[in-house]
């Protein structure tokens, strides 16, 4: 009798280039550097990925959750994936794999070590409304008309942040606070490929920038320098900030199924943001303001940082909100003749009140803004919790598990 033939089968992890919005979340999440990218695509290295699934829940579009069963010898290489415009279809599968066709990735790929690299929740709050995602894609975008575009930051500052209102007319575009949309800027990059979409948080509540209208607002910072401080003109942010009333833009999305607000009226929102990270906080705050329910005990506490008062978007409207509605704490890091003050400093100054919220199971925490803020904010939360005798590590795990700690930094 012949010995059984051993076939080396791979359930290869792939990213759908038609849906991916190149947001880099998966690359940052992967604990073993199995994801890489160029200016065209994000791809997974077949010889490195162990199928741990850590990257799947944080992906805002679901583009990451694609798998093809094939002979390991036929695995798609990185160079080949980087050229793709569409995913290959599932080819004929060797007979020996048929028994495992319905198996999960981990049944075929050796499972890697348990990872704990996702610092925030990968599930929404229990009372969040159900979001719609990916209604419009790169292949089938929709359009919106610009009905407003004005600068939020003082004209004398270097930081130009715009409030842009997009109207969808009769096209369905249902959104929730905390979700984002993708904008497809016109034109092509140096290699002739159409520009990929950029992601922007929605700054308006679910019932519209103007209540009852089918519109959304965005908070967009004009990028004029790269991360190293060299002069550059960001493709999409400059396109958006230059738009005029009546212009039509190509939109994809909505995206995001976890950074969502709780709907139960007694829930507390602890919101920590910098710059354009204020967009989702504005959406949530405005939703709560419009639906202020008599007798509800839910509190809103906001920590908001910018370099100066003049660079803080929505400064005027924010400071006009009633004190019994929202507890607002501003921190400015470059006010002349004043010591530098960051959101973490403001949080520490309010440690007893922050700790009170941390002790409450109805508290949901949202952090949004520049990537660099994440470590400092988590460190401040840890210090505040421990200063009040709370076990931060246990609390952190619980917050994540219960969809109560949401981090979105970029
Ligand atoms: C989940 C998520 C939500 C986002 N929400 C918002 C939002 O609400 N408002 C908003 O303005 N942006 C937001 N962004 C960032 C946005 O998607 C774009 O990355 C940003 O507008 C720059 O795009 P660009 O086409 O203008 O620049 P590009 O042409 O893509 O980049 C030009 C150069 O600038 C660098 N660069 C890119 N972004 C920045 C930046 N912010 N600061 C300094 N240098 C930069 C790039 O590395 C590159 O070198 C979000 C990103 C993510 C992932
Ligand atoms: S959309 Fe998903 S697959 Fe694409 S870069 Fe973002 S996290 Fe990765
Ligand atoms: S499944 Fe795990 S190892 Fe593979 S790309 Fe995603 S995070 Fe990395």
């Amino acid at each position: 009798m012949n010995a059984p033939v051993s076939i080396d089968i791979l359930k290869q992890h792939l990213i759908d280039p038609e849906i991916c919005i190149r947001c880099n979340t998966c690359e940052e999440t992967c604990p073993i550097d199995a994801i890489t990218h160029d200016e065209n695509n994000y791809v997974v290295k077949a010889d490195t990925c162990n199928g741990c699934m850590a990257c799947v829940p944080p992906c805002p579009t679901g583009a990451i959750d694609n798998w093809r069963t094939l002979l390991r010898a036929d695995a798609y290489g990185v160079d080949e994936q980087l050229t793709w415009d569409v995913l290959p279809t599932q080819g004929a599968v060797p007979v020996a794999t048929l028994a495992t066709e319905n198996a999960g990735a981990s049944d075929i790929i050796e499972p890697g070590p348990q990872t704990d690299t996702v610092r925030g929740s990968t599930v929404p709050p229990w009372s969040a409304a159900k979001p719609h995602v990916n209604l419009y894609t790169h292949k089938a975008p929709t359009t919106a008309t610009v009905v407003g575009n004005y600068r939020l930051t003082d004209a004398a500052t270097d930081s130009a942040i715009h409030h842009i209102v997009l109207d969808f007319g009769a096209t369905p575009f249902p959104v929730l606070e905390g979700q984002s949309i993708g904008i497809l800027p016109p034109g092509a990059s140096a290699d002739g490929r159409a520009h990929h979409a950029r992601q922007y948080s929605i700054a308006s509540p679910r019932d519209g920038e103007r209540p009852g209208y089918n519109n959304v607002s965005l908070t967009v910072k004009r990028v004029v320098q790269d991360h190293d401080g060299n002069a550059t003109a960001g493709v999409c942010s400059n396109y958006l900030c230059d738009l005029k009333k009546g212009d039509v833009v190509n939109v994809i999305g909505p995206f995001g199924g976890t950074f969502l607000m709780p709907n139960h009226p007694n829930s507390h929102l602890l919101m920590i943001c910098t710059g354009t990270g204020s967009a989702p906080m504005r959406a949530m705050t405005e939703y709560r303001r419009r639906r202020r329910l008599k007798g509800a005990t839910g509190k809103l506490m906001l920590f908001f940082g910018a370099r100066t008062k003049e660079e803080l978007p929505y400064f005027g409207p924010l400071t006009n909100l009633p004190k019994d509605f929202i507890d607002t704490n501003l921190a400015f890091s470059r006010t002349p003749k004043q010591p530098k003050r960051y959101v973490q400093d403001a949080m520490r100054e309010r440690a007893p009140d922050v700790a009170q919220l941390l002790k409450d199971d109805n508290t949901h925490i949202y952090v949004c803004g520049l990537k660099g803020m994440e470590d400092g904010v988590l460190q401040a939360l840890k210090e505040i919790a421990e200063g009040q005798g709370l076990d931060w590590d246990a609390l952190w795990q619980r917050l994540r598990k219960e969809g109560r700690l949401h981090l979105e930094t970029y």
Side-chain angles (χ1 to χ4, degrees), residues 28-357:
E28 276 165 31
T29 308
C30 179
I32 55 168
D33 293 334
I35 297 179
T36 184
H37 73 276
D38 66 1
E39 61 289 342
N40 189 34
N41 279 345
Y42 274 73
V43 302
V44 184
K45 300 175 208 164
D47 56 359
T48 311
C49 173
N50 62 21
C52 72
M53 303 298 269
C55 60
V56 174
C59 169
T61 62
I64 194 102
D65 199 10
N66 282 282
W67 309 82
R68 295 287 183 272
T69 307
L70 68 181
L71 294 175
R72 190 177 292 275
D74 293 341
Y76 302 107
V78 163
D79 290 346
E80 184 181 1
Q81 294 179 58
L82 288 171
T83 66
W84 286 349
D85 294 322
V86 291
L87 271 185
T89 49
Q90 173 69 65
V93 181
V95 174
T97 67
L98 292 180
T100 55
E101 258 302 79
N102 295 322
S106 56
D107 294 324
I108 297 172
I109 299 172
E110 277 298 302
Q114 276 300 307
T115 57
D116 211 10
T117 53
V118 188
R119 308 208 283 181
S121 296
T122 55
V123 287
W126 66 266
S127 62
K130 194 161 171 15
H132 292 270
V133 292
N134 288 333
L135 295 179
Y136 304 94
T137 61
H138 279 93
K139 217 174 182 178
T142 189
T143 56
T145 305
V146 179
V147 292
N149 182 357
Y150 62 89
R151 184 171 163 143
L152 292 166
T153 44
D154 196 294
T157 69
D158 293 339
S159 169
I161 300 182
H162 283 235
H163 184 71
I164 299 169
V165 186
L166 300 177
D167 193 280
F168 290 97
T171 305
F173 204 95
V175 298
L176 291 174
E177 305 77 16
Q179 284 195 292
S180 55
I181 65 172
I183 300 289
L184 286 168
S189 47
D191 65 1
R193 288 174 181 274
H195 288 304
H196 63 77
R198 271 47 166 202
Q199 196 176 355
Y200 295 92
S201 304
I202 294 164
S204 47
R206 64 191 79 179
D207 56 341
E209 170 68 14
R210 194 171 163 195
Y213 280 71
N214 190 16
N215 56 23
V216 299
S217 61
L218 308 177
T219 314
V220 181
K221 177 171 176 156
R222 190 189 283 278
V223 170
V224 291
Q225 283 186 341
D226 65 16
H227 292 292
D228 300 322
N230 303 312
T232 188
V235 170
C236 195
S237 58
N238 282 276
Y239 162 68
L240 283 170
C241 291
D242 289 339
L243 287 170
K244 308 264 174 306
K245 253 184 171 178
D247 285 346
V248 173
V249 292
N250 286 316
V251 182
I252 62 173
F255 305 124
T258 56
F259 192 109
L260 300 174
M261 67 184 293
N263 269 345
H264 56 298
N266 292 342
S267 53
H268 312 304
L269 306 184
L270 174 55
M271 301 174 280
I272 304 150
C273 62
T274 55
T276 54
S278 54
M281 314 310 183
R282 179 183 185 268
M284 293 185 197
T285 303
E286 186 58 11
Y287 181 67
R288 275 290 184 91
R289 193 189 64 79
R290 287 183 193 173
R291 284 178 49 96
R292 240 184 134 180
L293 295 177
K294 249 199 162 139
T297 54
K299 293 185 185 126
L300 273 66
M301 188 174 203
L302 172 71
F303 291 93
F304 191 175
R307 292 198 306 185
T308 61
K309 176 166 104 32
E310 292 71 26
E311 289 189 20
L312 189 122
Y314 309 115
F315 179 79
L318 194 56
T319 47
N320 287 335
L321 288 170
K323 300 275 173 288
D324 66 340
F325 168 66
I326 184 167
D327 181 348
T328 301
N329 302 266
L330 305 178
F332 302 115
S333 59
R334 303 277 171 81
T335 304
K337 298 186 188 134
Q338 298 282 324
K340 287 185 176 175
R341 200 158 160 272
Y342 297 97
V343 278
Q344 305 89 285
D345 301 319
M347 290 167 69
R348 286 192 184 94
E349 285 164 19
R350 297 291 309 277
D353 302 301
V354 173
Q356 204 56 41
L357 285 179

Side-chain angles (χ1 to χ4, degrees), residues 15 19-27 42 55 58-64:
I15 294 175
I19 301 179
C20 172
I21 51 171
R22 284 80 178 163
C23 67
N24 205 48
T25 307
C26 51
E27 195 170 318
Y42 274 73
C55 60
C59 169
T61 62
I64 194 102

